[in-house]
Amino acid sequence: MPCAFHIQTTAGPGRRGQLVTPHGTIETPVFMPVGTLATVKGIPQDLLEEIGPEIILSNTYHLYLRPGVDTVRKLGGLHGFMSWPRAVLTDSGGFQVFSLSELRKVKEEGVTFRSHLDGSSHFFSPESSMEAQIGLGADVIMAFDECTEHPADARRTRESMELTLRWTARSKKYFEDHKHDVPWKGLVQKDAQSDGAATQSLFGIVQGGMDLALRRESAERTIEIGFPGYAIGGLSVGEPRHLTREVVEATLQHLPADKPRYLMGVGTRAARHGLLFTSEGRISIKQARYAQDEAPLDPKCPCRVCQRYSRAYLRHLYAANEVLAQVLNTIHNLSFYLDTMRTVRQSISLGDVPRSPLAARQ
Ligand SMILES: [Zn+2]
């Protein structure tokens, strides 16, 4: 049985809900920290549990190349391998093949590409992506899609959307035939809540470039194939921010009101670049003006960084390129994002129409 999704309250387009997975219940709307290589960079898992995300995002392309899916599978899937008892989502690898690898060749069957690590040749298809994602054992996995580049003309956008739809159907077929091969099968079932998921859940991905009519068609035809949740893909590919919002809003209205939705590819690596989010706006900690600033990064933030350190110290660590800079900056930013989403959920419960998640993150 795939994940269950319960909506508790709605306010305008905002929905407050719970996504029940084999590795815990996730309060939505949620921000998923990025753990590309089975680690949220710089943060050990016990500290991550304290910061509080209920789900993290990991990356099939990277883990397939290193350490390899078989290794992760033998060590209990991602949960066992990285010692993370809460939920995980993996992407299909499609986006990274299109954005990171060189000399890729797209055919009906799948994509041949060269590793960005050592130039070795590899092949991903809907079937091999499902096989990899089942082996990695995330709670939510994604259909294999082609991320349409931007800009793309009308013909190219349609052809790409049609290819994604065929790959989506193949992804579902392979998943349905092999979903019981997940490395933790049987382990979680007995502890799961009565309405909890006992298998992985495969989500479909809506493409269609920046063409709103194709977005609608892609949504409708993906829904016909049928999934327990739907993602909006193909965004943050170089288009202006206002266009991202326009496409998100136009696509959302064609997705089922009672199913979870996942906006892909709008994550950020701000912390590593010294860009910190606070209740008073963005702070670029590298600036000289903070060199003797005794104040906490964000006086309103309860995180352990803001409770203990000054802006001056954080600025020094960053300027000196100390490892601790990335750790502390990431702890604060993650805490800030998770607090922001907590506030969004409370607003929805109180009946306030929330700002868009894109606005909340800026
Ligand atoms: Zn903080």
Side-chain angles (χ1 to χ4, degrees):
M1 191 163 102
C3 60
F5 186 57
H6 309 295
I7 296 173
Q8 296 159 319
T9 332
T10 60
R15 308 179 304 171
R16 181 171 180 172
Q18 288 185 322
L19 182 67
V20 185
T21 77
H23 293 86
T25 296
I26 299 148
E27 302 288 334
T28 73
V30 66
F31 170 80
M32 275 189 297
V34 174
T36 300
L37 277 164
T39 163
V40 174
K41 283 193 190 304
I43 311 294
Q45 273 67 316
D46 53 349
L47 189 47
L48 196 56
E49 284 171 8
E50 182 190 296
I51 297 170
E54 292 161 332
I55 183 167
I56 60 171
L57 162 64
S58 214
N59 193 284
T60 301
Y61 168 88
H62 287 91
L63 293 166
Y64 160 88
L65 291 177
R66 184 176 58 188
V69 173
D70 277 352
T71 298
V72 177
R73 170 193 278 282
K74 282 179 187 138
L75 294 164
L78 279 170
H79 298 92
F81 178 54
M82 68 181 286
S83 186
W84 175 250
R86 299 182 190 174
V88 182
L89 179 149
T90 48
D91 55 27
S92 68
F95 182 79
Q96 285 69 31
V97 167
F98 291 97
S99 60
L100 287 179
S101 70
E102 293 169 3
L103 299 170
R104 63 177 182 267
K105 206 168 184 180
V106 183
K107 291 187 172 172
E108 184 65 31
E109 182 57 23
V111 188
T112 307
F113 62 95
R114 286 194 184 279
S115 158
H116 74 289
L117 296 174
D118 61 7
S120 55
S121 183
H122 300 271
F123 177 72
F124 266 2
S125 66
E127 292 77 17
S128 69
S129 170
M130 290 304 106
E131 183 183 21
Q133 291 187 81
I134 292 169
L136 295 172
D139 299 87
V140 179
I141 69 175
M142 305 305 299
F144 190 67
D145 62 333
E146 183 184 47
C147 183
T148 315
E149 70 283 356
H150 177 76
D153 65 27
R155 184 177 161 189
R156 160 70 192 144
T157 308
R158 170 166 284 282
E159 283 174 359
S160 176
M161 181 197 80
E162 297 282 355
L163 181 64
T164 286
L165 284 164
R166 292 191 295 276
W167 283 0
T168 300
R170 281 168 56 190
S171 296
K172 182 175 176 182
K173 172 149 189 3
Y174 188 94
F175 175 71
E176 291 299 330
D177 291 345
H178 297 85
K179 62 186 176 187
H180 296 293
D181 296 341
V182 71
W184 39 258
K185 75 180 163 180
L187 291 177
V188 211
Q189 269 168 312
K190 66 177 193 301
D191 297 327
Q193 296 173 17
S194 54
D195 64 347
T199 65
Q200 295 178 288
S201 297
L202 173 64
F203 282 17
I205 303 177
V206 175
Q207 290 285 349
M210 306 301 152
D211 182 322
L212 302 189
L214 286 185
R215 284 277 165 182
R216 176 182 187 158
E217 184 177 339
S218 175
E220 289 172 351
R221 290 170 62 187
T222 307
I223 293 163
E224 271 174 37
I225 298 169
F227 295 95
Y230 297 90
I232 303 177
L235 293 173
S236 296
V237 287
E239 79 281 10
R241 205 65 168 167
H242 72 87
L243 192 52
T244 313
R245 287 186 194 171
E246 195 183 323
V247 173
V248 169
E249 281 164 21
T251 309
L252 280 178
Q253 56 185 307
H254 303 299
L255 296 179
D258 60 346
K259 293 287 196 301
R261 302 159 177 173
Y262 167 29
L263 177 56
M264 305 178 82
V266 294
T268 170
R269 294 174 179 174
R272 270 185 272 164
H273 303 294
L275 189 60
L276 300 169
F277 295 81
T278 78
S279 57
E280 296 165 353
R282 287 190 237 192
I283 285 184
S284 175
I285 200 66
K286 66 181 96 171
Q287 291 176 357
R289 58 196 279 210
Y290 300 118
Q292 297 190 17
D293 190 337
E294 288 180 301
L297 180 59
D298 182 349
K300 291 187 183 152
C301 178
C303 91
R304 58 160 72 198
V305 177
C306 293
Q307 293 303 308
R308 182 155 191 164
Y309 303 106
S310 65
R311 291 173 175 179
Y313 184 60
L314 295 175
R315 195 254 170 192
H316 158 69
L317 292 178
Y318 188 85
N321 202 22
E322 280 294 320
V323 172
L324 190 58
Q326 185 184 317
V327 174
L328 297 185
N329 292 349
T330 301
I331 290 172
H332 167 78
N333 270 356
L334 280 183
S335 302
F336 183 79
Y337 296 148
L338 293 169
D339 277 351
T340 300
M341 295 316 291
R342 213 167 281 133
T343 306
V344 170
R345 292 195 295 271
Q346 281 165 357
S347 307
I348 297 172
S349 291
L350 294 169
D352 295 337
V353 177
R355 294 183 299 163
S356 93
L358 289 174
R361 286 182 50 263
Q362 291 179 343

